[in-house]
Amino acid sequence: MISSTKFKSVDFYRKIPRDLTEATLSGAGLSIVAALSMMFLFGMELSNYLSVSTSTSVIVDNSNDGDFLRMDFNISFLALSCEFAAVDVHDVLGTNRLNITKTIRKFSIDSNLRSTGSEYQSGPLLNLIKHGDEVDEETNEGSTVLNSRNFDRYANQHPILVVNFYAPWCYWSNKLKPSWEKAAKTIRERYDPEFDGRILMAKVDCTEDGELCRKHHIQGYPSIRIFRKGSDVRDEHGHHDHESYYGDRDSESLVKTMEDLIAPLPMGSQKLALEDKSNNATGNVKRPAPSAGGCRIEGYVRVKKVPGSLVLAARSESHSFDASQMNMSHFISHLSFGRKISPKAFSDAKQLIPYIGISHDRLNGQSFINQRELGANVTIEHYLQIVKTEVLTRRSGKLLEEYEYTAHSSVSQSVHIPVAKFHYTLSPMQVVITENQKSFSHFITNVCAIIGGVFTVAGILDALLHNTMRLMKKVELGKNF
């Protein structure tokens, strides 16, 4: 057995009897300062230990989420009608997807970007529209010429007014003209406007009366509109809602459509067409016409992970567009890539990295307006560089997976129809942000260093202060004697 005396000999902390020590005011002050310093430094070290630190690395993209990338968007066009608005996707591999509709929704909007009604229904895709082989004979014109001065009078006079809005330079308008005039002459002979009065076929030259065509949101030629007196009057403004005809354009089809429109109406020009009771054969080629000149396009497309472009433009296989009059100004409410991320996931990630998500939807809330300073035929293009970002935590593994992008926009002029184009390129690299785990042993070591260091420094200061005061006292005593 080791005696207690020998065991005590290894004591590093030998005690001085209390009777041999002396308390001083300076020592008490230093002790308080030292204690406060220890508490402060301990709190700082504890806060640092509990805080989260991250490291960022750039690696070759090792995505395992497939070959396709989701692209969500909500874009409002101030002067593009939903009637012709189309969404196309192209890429360097030769993919060309035109007029995507399955995952796209369109809403007519006014100049303040407010929706003017329910979702615009594009209707089923029709086969190539058939045109007649009639010969254009100027002497056989049977439709009534309308303009801003007499349009409202005829619209209120006849229960049904069918109007061909056309442009003389348009190929499709010229192809429709013989069939339209022949059909109008046939309908006039069968249903004399003076005695029957139930229907009138008319036409408007949009190059002569552009204001009237803009009032009815005509953007493609020819546009055939069906106006119904009574059932289509808006109470708040007195304007007429109406339908568009998208069926065949030969004279037989046109005459049959007109007779289908007349069938449910009683004789007499004073009767109103209060309901659309046309048969299904007519209904499948008629859809409500846009009630405003703008369109909000929202939805998503799945694109391959290769350089490509999303194109939003006016498109039709049987209409012409005046490129000089088209304005592709737009407002981007939302544009992002990748899976939809919940607000909670973003909130959790921002607790780790405050700057995360800033570029997830960089173009949100931005407008791109063509003020006509550059002239006509202006295409607005956006160039997007996409980078994948992953956030990894030590507790739950992958916390967030998102795609951020930079954007540069420009305008250009061309002889083609103006479009809004989003060019996208995916970076071959990805950013990985990892949460770093802090060692508890390192925390304990730092705490001990803080306590020991403060205690030692305070002891040195106390010794210096005590010895200095003793020396000053001896000097003072030496002077007195």
Side-chain angles (χ1 to χ4, degrees):
M1 295 291 294
I2 300 175
S3 63
S4 59
T5 302
K6 290 184 178 181
F7 184 76
K8 290 179 180 180
S9 64
V10 299
D11 184 8
F12 293 163
Y13 311 102
R14 301 198 176 199
K15 309 301 185 295
I16 299 175
R18 191 176 184 85
D19 294 340
L20 300 179
T21 61
E22 178 184 4
T24 62
L25 289 176
S26 60
L30 278 174
S31 298
I32 294 174
V33 172
L36 293 175
S37 299
M38 290 180 189
M39 294 174 60
F40 174 74
L41 294 176
F42 173 78
M44 294 289 290
E45 181 63 25
L46 179 62
S47 175
N48 182 60
Y49 173 72
L50 296 177
S51 65
V52 178
S53 64
T54 59
S55 60
T56 302
S57 57
V58 179
I59 64 174
V60 175
D61 190 356
N62 61 355
S63 301
N64 56 1
D65 53 355
D67 298 328
F68 290 87
L69 178 65
R70 176 172 169 142
M71 183 178 184
D72 287 270
F73 55 88
N74 184 330
I75 305 174
S76 299
F77 288 85
L78 303 178
L80 175 62
S81 173
C82 288
E83 186 176 15
F84 303 113
V87 179
D88 305 335
V89 171
H90 313 278
D91 63 40
V92 296
L93 296 181
T95 300
N96 291 291
R97 299 167 58 199
L98 304 179
N99 197 19
I100 300 171
T101 58
K102 186 175 181 181
T103 58
I104 303 299
R105 304 175 68 193
K106 295 185 286 188
F107 299 85
S108 294
I109 58 174
D110 59 20
S111 58
N112 296 317
L113 306 183
R114 292 192 297 261
S115 177
T116 59
S118 58
E119 178 182 353
Y120 179 81
Q121 300 295 336
S122 298
L125 294 177
L126 301 176
N127 296 326
L128 186 64
I129 292 178
K130 182 174 67 174
H131 288 76
D133 54 3
E134 291 83 356
V135 178
D136 186 6
E137 299 179 6
E138 295 293 337
T139 57
N140 289 335
E141 292 192 3
S143 60
T144 303
V145 177
L146 299 184
N147 51 44
S148 297
R149 296 182 299 277
N150 62 9
F151 187 92
D152 288 339
R153 175 165 59 84
Y154 279 103
N156 291 317
Q157 181 178 347
H158 300 277
I160 295 180
L161 174 66
V162 186
V163 183
N164 171 24
F165 294 89
Y166 71 98
W169 53 261
C170 170
Y171 168 78
W172 297 107
S173 294
N174 291 326
K175 201 166 184 179
L176 168 66
K177 182 178 179 181
S179 300
W180 182 263
E181 298 300 341
K182 182 178 179 180
K185 185 177 180 181
T186 301
I187 292 298
R188 181 180 289 273
E189 291 173 352
R190 295 182 185 179
Y191 309 95
D192 191 320
E194 297 296 331
F195 299 99
D196 189 301
R198 285 180 290 177
I199 190 169
L200 179 69
M201 293 181 67
K203 59 185 177 182
V204 173
D205 184 350
C206 288
T207 60
E208 295 290 335
D209 203 333
E211 185 60 33
L212 178 61
C213 293
R214 282 190 291 272
K215 175 183 176 182
H216 294 288
H217 316 298
I218 304 301
Q219 295 181 1
Y221 311 110
S223 290
I224 301 175
R225 299 287 198 250
I226 302 171
F227 296 85
R228 298 172 182 274
K229 185 177 72 172
S231 63
D232 58 352
V233 175
R234 294 187 195 173
D235 294 335
E236 63 270 26
H237 300 297
H239 295 164
H240 289 259
D241 288 334
H242 46 278
E243 296 171 305
S244 290
Y245 172 77
Y246 298 95
D248 291 332
R249 295 174 181 172
D250 60 292
S251 57
E252 291 79 6
S253 299
L254 290 170
V255 170
K256 184 178 185 307
T257 298
M258 303 307 141
E259 291 185 333
D260 289 338
L261 293 172
I262 296 172
L265 301 183
M267 290 287 292
S269 60
Q270 302 302 319
K271 302 295 183 181
L272 300 181
L274 298 178
E275 297 183 34
D276 179 11
K277 299 179 181 179
S278 311
N279 59 29
N280 292 333
T282 304
N284 62 13
V285 295
K286 294 192 289 83
R287 296 194 298 273
S291 56
C295 186
R296 184 174 76 247
I297 306 174
E298 61 182 57
Y300 70 91
V301 294
R302 288 170 57 81
V303 299
K304 291 182 178 179
K305 292 183 177 180
V306 295
S309 58
L310 174 75
V311 181
L312 297 99
R315 187 177 304 284
S316 174
E317 298 298 329
S318 55
H319 294 81
S320 299
F321 303 97
D322 186 352
S324 64
Q325 296 298 318
M326 298 192 68
N327 186 346
M328 297 307 292
S329 298
H330 56 272
F331 175 81
I332 302 176
S333 299
H334 179 76
L335 178 66
S336 65
F337 295 87
R339 301 186 185 95
K340 286 189 174 181
I341 302 174
S342 67
K344 183 179 185 305
F346 254 134
S347 177
D348 293 342
K350 282 184 176 295
Q351 293 180 2
L352 290 177
I353 312 100
Y355 59 82
I356 196 73
I358 293 178
S359 298
H360 177 71
D361 43 17
R362 176 176 287 272
L363 288 178
N364 282 20
Q366 296 192 32
S367 58
F368 301 88
I369 307 299
N370 176 17
Q371 302 290 354
R372 296 290 183 178
E373 298 174 355
L374 299 175
N377 296 48
V378 175
T379 286
I380 302 177
E381 298 182 276
H382 308 276
Y383 297 86
L384 313 178
Q385 183 71 40
I386 309 167
V387 180
K388 182 179 181 180
T389 301
E390 287 186 358
V391 180
L392 306 177
T393 66
R394 64 174 185 265
R395 293 183 298 275
S396 58
K398 186 181 294 186
L399 174 63
L400 183 69
E401 180 180 272
E402 61 144 359
Y403 288 84
E404 301 196 345
Y405 63 90
T406 59
H408 302 279
S409 304
S410 66
V411 295
S412 60
Q413 289 179 297
S414 69
V415 296
H416 303 293
I417 296 176
V419 300
K421 187 176 293 187
F422 296 81
H423 304 276
Y424 55 86
T425 303
L426 277 82
S427 172
M429 312 301 288
Q430 75 174 79
V431 177
V432 179
I433 302 174
T434 307
E435 180 185 7
N436 297 326
Q437 186 172 5
K438 295 182 179 179
S439 170
F440 180 73
S441 61
H442 184 71
F443 168 70
I444 294 298
T445 301
N446 285 353
V447 170
C448 292
I450 289 172
I451 296 174
V454 173
F455 188 82
T456 301
V457 171
I460 294 173
L461 292 176
D462 180 63
L464 289 174
L465 183 61
H466 180 68
N467 290 332
T468 300
M469 293 180 65
R470 285 182 61 189
L471 181 61
M472 292 177 61
K473 187 175 291 186
K474 285 182 179 181
V475 171
E476 183 179 352
L477 290 174
K479 286 182 179 181
N480 291 338
F481 292 95

